[in-house]
Amino acid sequence: MGIPVWVPRGAPAAGASMPATLGSEQAPVPAASGDGGGLGWTELERRVAGCVACELHRSRTQTVFGTGSREADLMVIGEAPGADEDRQGEPFVGRAGQLLNAMLRAIGLSREEVYIANILKCRPPRNRDPRPEEVAACEAYLHRQVELVRPRVILALGRIAAHNLLKTDAPLGRMRGRRYTYSDTEIPVVVTYHPAYLLRNPADKRKTWQDLKFAQRVPAPR
Ligand code: SF4
């Protein structure tokens, strides 16, 4: 189909550091050092599972940490767990998840070959938008996940993910087709529609296909 193949990465460490704390009720997380310091996967997952740094811990069934290959070239980041994800403890498992899987297959990737996470690890009640204080409390976890995976490119799914990853309020339509970088790293970020939006607006699947192809063409971090 003329689709570029993901090549093994030889990219250097992202060199990013973590926010100093995770919230007032949470012990500070050690900042990552340039030689790979900071929390490893096991400790990070344990911290998330017990996190009470924002109000969302009161209503969750369980935290939703992330899933997939921890050496993935592509990291997919969505908004927050929904009802299915809250029940199963895994991101993108409902109908939107099935569509995400199909989107990935369309570019030659299985779900297991990418790493999938959300901005928030706990479900907001009635799927309301994340609040700024919740994002602030939770973002150190995602930042560390990005550091550990060191993907070649991040795919931001939907407006909420894009706005919070890139600290902007630009309309999603204007963000498509551009190469951004994540936080203080050189890791490219590409923006596309959220699968839940595509379920309601299937005509935009074609644009999403273009975004996925664009993500595959984006140069890796130097
Ligand atoms: S959403 Fe994030 S910061 Fe809030 S309780 Fe859950 S894991 Fe902690």
Side-chain angles (χ1 to χ4, degrees), residues 16 34 46 49 61 64 75 90 98 108 126 128 136 162 173 179 182 190 194 208 215:
R46 193 186 66 77
T61 303
V64 179
M75 184 162 177
E90 184 171 330
Q98 289 168 13
R126 296 173 299 284
R128 63 159 170 74
R179 180 191 189 277
Y182 173 67
V190 171
H194 194 285
T208 303

Side-chain angles (χ1 to χ4, degrees), residues 82-210:
D84 293 327
E85 290 77 17
D86 177 68
R87 228 178 352 258
Q88 297 187 39
E90 184 171 330
F92 287 96
V93 292
R95 286 181 65 222
Q98 289 168 13
L99 180 53
L100 174 61
N101 295 347
M103 288 162 54
L104 293 171
R105 278 197 303 275
I107 56 168
L109 291 173
S110 70
R111 180 182 174 91
E112 292 72 29
E113 288 175 291
V114 305
Y115 192 80
I116 306 171
N118 281 313
I119 298 287
L120 293 183
K121 310 307 187 200
C122 301
R123 181 192 181 202
R126 296 173 299 284
N127 296 342
R128 63 159 170 74
D129 286 355
R131 293 176 176 151
E133 64 272 21
E134 294 160 355
V135 174
C138 209
E139 65 184 359
Y141 297 132
L142 180 64
H143 202 286
R144 185 62 183 150
Q145 286 175 302
V146 173
E147 281 188 321
L148 287 167
V149 174
R150 287 198 297 123
R152 288 185 68 246
V153 60
I154 292 171
L155 183 67
L157 295 180
R159 173 181 59 88
I160 299 289
H163 284 181
N164 285 292
L165 283 174
L166 301 173
K167 308 302 181 196
T168 177
D169 58 1
L172 187 137
R174 284 226 310 266
M175 301 180 79
R176 292 183 50 247
R178 298 183 183 204
R179 180 191 189 277
Y180 297 86
T181 53
Y182 173 67
S183 186
D184 53 354
T185 77
E186 294 294 319
I187 299 173
V189 178
V190 171
V191 173
T192 194
Y193 297 106
H194 194 285
Y197 166 86
L198 293 173
L199 289 171
R200 300 189 301 272
N201 301 274
D204 281 336
K205 287 182 182 175
R206 185 181 55 81
K207 294 181 187 171
T208 303
W209 162 241
Q210 293 168 350

Side-chain angles (χ1 to χ4, degrees), residues 22 48 51-57 60 63 120-122 134 137-138 141:
L22 296 169
V48 170
C51 181
V52 293
C54 81
E55 286 300 305
L56 296 180
H57 80 274
R60 73 187 178 211
T63 55
L120 293 183
K121 310 307 187 200
C122 301
E134 294 160 355
C138 209
Y141 297 132

